[in-house]
Amino acid sequence: MNVEQLLEVPQMPSGTGYEISSAVYDTLQKWSLLDKVQAFVFDTTASNTGRLNGACILLEQSLEREILFLACQHHIFELVLQGVFLEVKLFPMTGPDILLFKRFQHAWENIDKSTFSTSVSDFYIHNILKNDSDEIILYAKKKITENLPRDDYQEFLELVIIFLGGVPPRGIAFRQPGQYHLARWMAKAIYSLKLYIFKDQFKLNSKEEKALKDICCFIVKCYVQAWFSSPNAIEAPLNDILFLKKLEEYKLYNKRISDVALKKIINHLWYLNPECIAFSIFDDRVDNSTKLKMAEKILSTYDSSINDDEEEIELKKKIALKLEDVSQFIQKDLLIDLINSKSIGMFKRFQISTQFLTIDPANWNNHEDYKIGKQIINSLKVVNDTAERGVKLVEEYNKKFTKNEGQKQLVLQTVQDYRKKYPQSDRQTLKKPF
């Protein structure tokens, strides 16, 4: 539990679902892990999730059992933000360069960093954010104190605080506008916040300024909390429900953006399937009354399936929802309503005892089975950030040595062996002879 291991970086002739699934299957076979796999974490690209030829489906078929699909939450929220950006048309997507951002980069050295704007000074923005500003500032300040994996995460949070008129823990400071990758929409969110903060010193036309306000309002009111809460497996189901509700409420301020964001997220409700919804049993935000009803339904559907010997029901990977049904859908008690006879599968899959479900939820925190179950689900990965960073580092590392694929694999094995012999990287350890 909580051990990460890079198994292999296989060479593939193409990026098709078949090639990906075959490479993963062969790697698992080499490591004797075929019977251990219980879940996949993946980006929701067609090559991974295609209904017929997606890598996840093909690999599941090869393993000959149902696998829990844990779609990368960060990838999903990047798609949501992408949809909003494209809708407001803040900048044209005609090539690798974003002209608005390049203009801002060139103007940066002439900008007075001590003079800037906040949402408080704009009636349109303040009217949208006034009821949530204090809560969002507190949330951002709390998140900054955590161990963030990347510097741009901290910069994002600091800009949100400044945008709302607050002061980050380490004071008000601004980093020079950096690189932006077309696939990294957080970088564009950072640029957007900076552009608004210094809009009085940077020439924007009326269309750009209106689009910038719309983007910033969505980022701050709807997006930032959803993004930073997404890595937690236990909280993922309720987070998706809360995000749906927030987007539905956002129609009061901007129906066009709300609809675009909703269209994106309803295509990716992977964590509202019967097994994943059971993660919320361990969510401290869920009240005991709801947990009791969840437990009763899980136990009753489990008993029913045993007694009636009913036909096996296929585990739905994600729920299907139409835009026009969202309003009615979120009115339900979803944590209870979405549980069915497949929800018990979560306990079986991860070998979690259901004994604690038979007692009052008020006493769960003192029950050993509950504590073990919570630890197991909390260890699940629902974002693939680590894998992406690992692969990127491996690629850069290998380029320094060789372009030969066979030698690349040997380099990885050598590094892994070295790390086993020298697990510490302090100066005293490095002084020792190999």
Side-chain angles (χ1 to χ4, degrees):
M1 193 184 303
N2 278 326
V3 174
E4 293 185 359
Q5 172 67 52
L6 179 64
L7 303 182
E8 191 173 3
V9 185
Q11 184 181 32
M12 292 182 291
S14 68
T16 64
Y18 175 77
E19 293 292 347
I20 295 170
S21 64
S22 296
V24 174
Y25 184 90
D26 290 344
T27 301
L28 292 172
Q29 192 172 45
K30 289 178 187 177
W31 285 75
S32 301
L33 293 173
L34 290 175
D35 61 338
K36 304 294 184 184
V37 176
Q38 294 295 338
F40 300 153
V41 185
F42 53 88
D43 282 357
T44 61
T45 55
S47 59
N48 285 334
T49 63
R51 187 173 60 87
L52 299 177
N53 297 311
C56 294
I57 297 297
L58 295 175
L59 185 55
E60 183 181 47
Q61 292 172 357
S62 298
L63 294 174
E64 298 181 333
R65 64 181 186 278
E66 286 185 339
I67 301 295
L68 194 61
F69 283 15
L70 303 176
C72 177
Q73 287 284 74
H74 275 169
H75 179 73
I76 292 170
F77 284 111
E78 287 264 280
L79 293 176
V80 172
L81 190 58
Q82 176 190 26
V84 173
F85 263 105
L86 296 179
E87 175 63 23
V88 301
K89 298 179 175 62
L90 178 59
F91 46 76
M93 299 295 294
T94 56
D97 289 329
I98 298 174
L99 298 182
L100 178 61
F101 292 175
K102 288 190 75 69
R103 281 168 44 206
F104 189 58
Q105 285 179 337
H106 294 151
W108 182 252
E109 62 180 22
N110 296 319
I111 289 177
D112 179 3
K113 313 307 184 296
S114 64
T115 304
F116 53 87
S117 302
T118 69
S119 63
V120 180
S121 62
D122 188 290
F123 177 78
Y124 172 76
I125 297 178
H126 182 63
N127 184 54
I128 294 175
L129 302 178
K130 60 184 178 182
N131 295 328
D132 301 302
S133 292
D134 292 341
E135 177 191 340
I136 296 170
I137 289 174
L138 288 173
Y139 177 86
K141 286 183 175 180
K142 180 176 180 295
K143 279 293 173 183
I144 285 177
T145 64
E146 298 178 5
N147 185 24
L148 299 173
R150 289 167 38 165
D151 289 342
D152 56 349
Y153 285 22
Q154 178 169 334
E155 182 182 16
F156 188 20
L157 290 167
E158 289 178 342
L159 287 172
V160 167
I161 294 170
I162 295 170
F163 176 83
L164 290 172
V167 179
R170 63 176 187 174
I172 294 178
F174 301 99
R175 301 180 187 179
Q176 181 174 342
Q179 296 297 315
Y180 49 86
H181 190 285
L182 289 182
R184 289 292 182 188
W185 291 89
M186 179 189 281
K188 298 175 184 64
I190 289 173
Y191 260 92
S192 298
L193 289 168
K194 280 183 183 174
L195 278 165
Y196 177 84
I197 287 171
F198 293 108
K199 64 182 177 63
D200 293 336
Q201 301 182 60
F202 182 73
K203 188 175 181 180
L204 294 167
N205 60 44
S206 58
K207 183 179 179 181
E208 288 173 334
E209 186 167 346
K210 174 64 169 61
L212 197 61
K213 289 181 181 182
D214 288 340
I215 279 289
C216 289
C217 285
F218 174 79
I219 289 170
V220 174
K221 189 176 181 72
C222 300
Y223 191 76
V224 64
Q225 288 177 285
W227 171 270
F228 282 97
S229 301
S230 58
N232 190 307
I234 288 175
E235 296 181 353
L238 183 55
N239 283 345
D240 280 1
I241 293 170
L242 294 176
F243 191 57
L244 285 173
K245 291 181 177 180
K246 183 167 286 189
L247 293 180
E248 184 68 16
E249 293 170 357
Y250 200 66
K251 288 182 179 180
L252 294 173
Y253 307 103
N254 196 318
K255 186 177 186 302
R256 182 168 57 102
I257 286 181
S258 173
D259 283 347
V260 168
L262 280 169
K263 285 177 183 177
K264 289 291 184 180
I265 193 65
I266 62 177
N267 290 327
H268 297 285
L269 297 177
W270 302 85
Y271 292 90
L272 300 188
N273 75 56
E275 277 199 36
C276 287
I277 201 71
F279 292 174
S280 294
I281 279 283
F282 303 102
D283 194 334
D284 293 333
R285 298 171 301 172
V286 179
D287 61 81
N288 287 340
S289 175
T290 300
K291 286 186 175 182
L292 178 61
K293 293 175 182 176
M294 292 175 69
E296 290 174 344
K297 190 170 183 181
I298 289 172
L299 293 175
S300 65
T301 54
Y302 178 47
D303 292 341
S304 174
S305 64
I306 293 176
N307 297 333
D308 298 339
D309 195 25
E310 62 186 13
E311 184 179 351
E312 184 72 12
I313 303 174
E314 180 185 0
L315 173 63
K316 291 183 178 180
K317 302 305 183 184
K318 60 179 180 179
I319 67 167
L321 189 63
K322 295 180 180 179
L323 182 61
E324 58 267 26
D325 297 331
V326 171
S327 180
Q328 184 177 359
F329 178 76
I330 60 177
Q331 300 303 318
K332 301 177 181 179
D333 291 327
L334 293 174
L335 293 180
I336 302 168
D337 291 351
L338 294 175
I339 287 173
N340 64 24
S341 59
K342 297 297 292 185
S343 299
I344 196 69
M346 184 272 287
F347 294 87
K348 295 178 180 179
R349 183 183 301 280
F350 299 112
Q351 300 178 5
I352 300 171
S353 171
T354 58
Q355 185 62 39
F356 71 88
L357 296 177
T358 62
I359 66 173
D360 189 334
N363 299 319
W364 283 0
N365 284 323
N366 299 320
H367 199 286
E368 192 63 26
D369 291 337
Y370 177 82
K371 290 189 285 188
I372 292 173
K374 188 172 186 178
Q375 184 180 6
I376 291 172
I377 301 304
N378 193 50
S379 70
L380 296 180
K381 303 297 181 185
V382 293
V383 294
N384 62 5
D385 297 23
T386 302
E388 286 186 348
R389 290 197 302 274
V391 170
K392 180 63 175 175
L393 287 171
V394 166
E395 289 176 349
E396 293 178 351
Y397 185 74
N398 276 338
K399 288 177 182 177
K400 305 293 184 182
F401 292 91
T402 179
K403 294 182 179 180
N404 180 277
E405 185 60 32
Q407 290 299 312
K408 285 182 179 182
Q409 299 298 327
L410 290 175
V411 169
L412 291 176
Q413 294 173 25
T414 301
V415 171
Q416 183 179 11
D417 182 63
Y418 187 86
R419 285 181 174 175
K420 286 181 180 179
K421 291 179 179 178
Y422 299 94
Q424 303 297 324
S425 58
D426 56 80
R427 183 177 299 178
Q428 294 302 317
T429 301
L430 295 175
K431 283 182 178 180
K432 295 178 181 179
F434 182 71

